[in-house]
Amino acid sequence: MSKLKDELVERFKELTELAVLDEGDPQSFRVRAYENATYAISGLTGDIAQMSEKELVKVPGIGPSTAKKIREYVETGRISKLEALRKKYPPEFVALTRIPGLGPKKVLLLRDALGIRNLDDLKAALEKQEIRHVKGMGEKTEENIRQALLRLGTTHKERRSPIAEVLPVARRLVAALQGHEKVREVLYCGSLRRFRETIGDVDIVAASEAPREVMAEFVGLPEVKAVLAHGDTKSSVLVGGDLQVDLRVVPPRSFGAAVLYFTGSKAHNVKLRARAQQRGWTLNEYALTRIETGRVIAARSEEAIYRKLGMPWIPPPMREDTGEIEAAESTAGLPEVVRVEDLKGDLSLQGDGLSREALEALVTAAKARGLSYAALLTSEGSDGVATLRRAAASLPLVRWIGAEVEVGDGGEIPAEAGRGADFVVARITHRPLEPDRQTQRLVRAIADPRVRIVSHLCARRIGESEALAFDVPSVLDALEEHRVALAVSGELSALDAPPEIVRAAMERRIRVVLASEAATPDALERLEYASLCAQRGWCLRDRVLNTESVRSVSRWLSP
DNA sequence: TGTAGTCG
DNA sequence: GCAGGAGG
DNA sequence: CCTCCTGCAGCGACTACA
């Protein structure tokens, strides 16, 4: 977005980190105020450089002090408070707090007692076994730091893993816990349940009356590489490629409250708690409770808690405090976002290279999932179309053969593309271009009259390659004008078009297609992922082409 | 056993 | 450090 | 309008030290 804004957000993040050290407490009010200010700045729209101190102070979360700092940065390119703190706490010293288990207090203690100012000092102190002699630390602390350093690099605090890596692991762990006889219910929560594209750690919540046994089972699972903490109701472990997984076990009557609490987001929870407080209630991970009597109002299910707070259940992907709570309590209610059950067909099955048997297995599985129509795609030109048409003859569900074509550097689509096919899907591939050229490329491809669907609009690979940079409004305008549908791929390393773009598309009359791009029966589950991703973008059900009847899909594909 | 630090 | 209320 | 004052969510779980 705006470069100035990004810079300010960076500066304030650093300010927050340094304030934690300066205050010696991550919970101090000043630290929290900086955090809020950072969030407030990241939500600013418009030209920040043009805003006066007065205007800035009006923004919730920005007070006189932050406003001054913003103006100072705009005018001089620096923030004196930040410079002062940097001097006091050099970057290499601050870096020490990123070691798991080392917070502000211990880091400062190490500096004052042993003069440790950077990683090398710390390593040297470990060598000499000096740390165990510091008052307040012991052999155990020393050993923990040693272990943390060994893991550093792979598991430093900020590392987030692509959802494609995390989801299968989480599903296996949940399945393993589900199999335990003392487990009543179990669900992964956190950013994974909200379907964010990168995941910091996995939070699993289980309901059981025998927490200790469940915990023992959990930390003993074969995938567990290291146990970071192991208590009666809460444990943390590392699995596979150094992914941290936390398990909380709660009594079954609190399952809904726990799942709500641990699903977040934090900002969503804060708003919910405020709504509870207005009613004289309090909301925590155990229950929604009336404060004066201590009576539980709701706890067992999320749905009940939302209902008591005057809201319908909110799909987890929407719980990011981007207006969902206000919408949920409005008379109009939450928008009706698409759910996987709404889907009637799949327009993205990958037919290339599949035998008749494989095709049959694919469409049979699609039918078993309740789908009633499908399109098979080929990227092998008119020969591919002909082959696929023959192979798919008389198979159930298959209504169309589509040609998937790659878009060239200039947005061109080969002259012969789509010959013999029922429609064309333009698949965007990764080409590094200047934003203006990229925009032209996409708009030109969308404007080609053969193209009915555009897929992988941003050509991104989560955790590998960035989304293409282009002017989003122009491209969305083109989609609307030429009546081309926007695909949302459920392929976990793509999830493309991303939610921000889907949400912007909802402001226009743009249709969406949820796409599994499946070549095998198992891969059809990506329809679920596509719908969760679409929910993050507030994708309305009645904008999704493949929730509609064969007739209306046909009309869209061949206008 | 009480307390402090860290994490969530 | 911010927000909101009280009091001037 | 300004200044001054007060509250800011709140806590649990776990670990290590004394």
Side-chain angles (χ1 to χ4, degrees), chain A residues 409-441:
Chain A
D409 272 13
E412 66 281 1
I413 286 168
E416 69 281 7
R419 193 174 301 155
D422 298 310
F423 66 97
V424 170
V425 178
R427 182 175 173 131
I428 310 301
T429 47
H430 202 277
R431 299 287 158 77
L433 295 174
E434 290 301 303
D436 282 350
R437 297 274 318 275
Q438 198 70 259
T439 307
Q440 286 168 21
R441 175 186 178 219

Side-chain angles (χ1 to χ4, degrees), chain A residues 21 93 96-97 99 101-119 121-123 125-126 129-138 141-142 145-146 149:
Chain A
L21 274 174
F93 177 67
L96 294 177
T97 65
I99 297 165
L102 283 188
K105 296 277 170 58
K106 283 188 185 162
V107 165
L108 288 168
L109 184 60
L110 286 172
R111 185 192 65 178
D112 296 341
L114 299 174
I116 291 174
R117 284 162 204 287
N118 54 47
L119 199 55
D121 293 348
L122 181 65
K123 284 178 180 162
L126 281 171
Q129 306 198 329
E130 287 176 324
I131 291 173
R132 60 182 66 182
H133 299 119
V134 177
K135 190 171 166 67
M137 305 200 175
T141 306
E142 196 176 275
I145 295 173
R146 205 187 305 279
L149 281 183

Side-chain angles (χ1 to χ4, degrees), chain A residues 1-9 12 36-63 66-71 73-74:
Chain A
M1 285 286 181
S2 131
K3 191 158 161 262
L4 174 60
K5 184 164 89 179
D6 291 346
E7 288 171 10
L8 278 167
V9 167
F12 272 80
N36 290 337
T38 310
Y39 185 72
I41 293 168
S42 71
L44 286 175
T45 50
D47 189 355
I48 299 171
Q50 296 303 314
M51 292 177 79
S52 70
E53 233 175 278
K54 245 188 190 159
E55 292 171 295
L56 286 166
V57 169
K58 285 195 202 134
V59 180
I62 297 178
T66 300
K68 274 211 173 57
K69 290 187 177 74
I70 293 175
R71 287 305 307 168
Y73 187 74
V74 169

Side-chain angles (χ1 to χ4, degrees), chain A residues 441-463:
Chain A
R441 175 186 178 219
L442 299 179
V443 168
R444 184 172 163 203
I446 291 164
D448 189 300
R450 292 165 293 178
V451 171
R452 305 307 306 129
I453 299 173
V454 60
S455 70
H456 294 259
L457 184 68
C458 297
R460 66 168 180 177
R461 305 296 294 176
I462 295 170

Side-chain angles (χ1 to χ4, degrees), chain A residues 311-329:
Chain A
M311 291 171 231
W313 182 82
I314 299 177
M318 297 176 75
R319 300 183 194 170
E320 297 287 356
D321 186 29
T322 53
E324 74 282 2
I325 291 186
E326 291 77 4
E329 57 195 4

Side-chain angles (χ1 to χ4, degrees), chain A residues 46-339:
Chain A
D47 189 355
I48 299 171
Q50 296 303 314
M51 292 177 79
S52 70
E53 233 175 278
K54 245 188 190 159
E55 292 171 295
L56 286 166
V57 169
K58 285 195 202 134
V59 180
I62 297 178
S65 174
T66 300
K68 274 211 173 57
K69 290 187 177 74
I70 293 175
R71 287 305 307 168
E72 186 190 357
Y73 187 74
V74 169
E75 278 158 28
T76 69
R78 17 179 296 140
I79 299 173
S80 43
K81 170 102 184 189
L82 178 60
E83 313 269 333
L85 284 172
R86 274 179 184 164
K87 205 162 227 169
K88 211 163 159 191
Y89 310 102
E92 44 174 21
F93 177 67
V94 177
L96 294 177
T97 65
R98 286 191 261 274
I99 297 165
L102 283 188
K105 296 277 170 58
K106 283 188 185 162
V107 165
L108 288 168
L109 184 60
L110 286 172
R111 185 192 65 178
D112 296 341
L114 299 174
I116 291 174
R117 284 162 204 287
N118 54 47
L119 199 55
D120 287 337
D121 293 348
L122 181 65
K123 284 178 180 162
L126 281 171
E127 262 327 275
K128 289 187 258 172
Q129 306 198 329
E130 287 176 324
I131 291 173
R132 60 182 66 182
H133 299 119
V134 177
K135 190 171 166 67
M137 305 200 175
E139 278 187 49
K140 191 79 193 194
T141 306
E142 196 176 275
E143 186 52 29
N144 285 346
I145 295 173
R146 205 187 305 279
Q147 292 303 319
L149 281 183
L150 285 178
R151 283 199 291 265
L152 203 67
T154 45
T155 48
H156 44 325
K157 284 177 190 174
E158 280 90 273
R159 186 189 137 94
R160 300 182 67 87
S161 310
I163 191 168
E165 284 174 23
V166 175
L167 188 62
V169 178
R171 287 179 53 159
R172 281 201 299 276
L173 293 171
V174 165
L177 288 167
Q178 224 140 25
H180 193 278
E181 62 164 340
K182 293 292 171 63
V183 172
R184 299 276 200 84
E185 290 178 273
V186 56
L187 193 64
Y188 56 76
C189 299
S191 54
L192 182 57
R193 183 162 179 243
R194 298 202 310 279
F195 221 67
R196 280 192 55 168
E197 54 213 36
T198 61
I199 309 297
D201 53 22
V202 177
D203 297 295
I204 300 178
V205 175
S208 172
E209 265 125 11
R212 202 169 302 192
E213 295 168 48
V214 177
M215 276 308 171
E217 167 85 9
F218 176 64
V219 300
L221 289 174
E223 272 151 310
V224 170
K225 296 275 189 298
V227 180
L228 302 175
H230 178 190
D232 277 1
T233 64
K234 177 181 164 181
S235 292
S236 296
V237 301
L238 292 180
V239 303
D242 287 324
L243 176 70
Q244 182 171 335
V245 182
D246 299 337
L247 174 66
R248 303 282 301 227
V249 183
V250 299
R253 64 175 177 285
S254 292
F255 188 67
V259 152
L260 180 62
Y261 184 87
F262 290 109
T263 296
S265 66
K266 193 173 166 189
H268 181 88
N269 286 354
V270 166
K271 283 246 169 91
L272 286 185
R273 281 198 300 267
R275 299 304 189 270
Q277 230 146 29
Q278 287 166 7
R279 293 165 163 82
W281 304 336
T282 164
L283 177 63
N284 59 24
E285 68 255 60
Y286 300 108
L288 178 66
T289 315
R290 186 183 310 275
I291 291 173
E292 37 182 57
T293 60
R295 271 186 77 89
V296 171
I297 292 164
R300 190 170 290 274
S301 76
E302 285 190 328
E303 216 259 326
I305 295 171
Y306 277 116
R307 189 171 52 236
K308 292 292 183 185
L309 293 174
M311 291 171 231
W313 182 82
I314 299 177
M318 297 176 75
R319 300 183 194 170
E320 297 287 356
D321 186 29
T322 53
E324 74 282 2
I325 291 186
E326 291 77 4
E329 57 195 4
S330 72
T331 44
L334 265 189
E336 281 199 50
V337 294
V338 65
R339 299 164 307 163

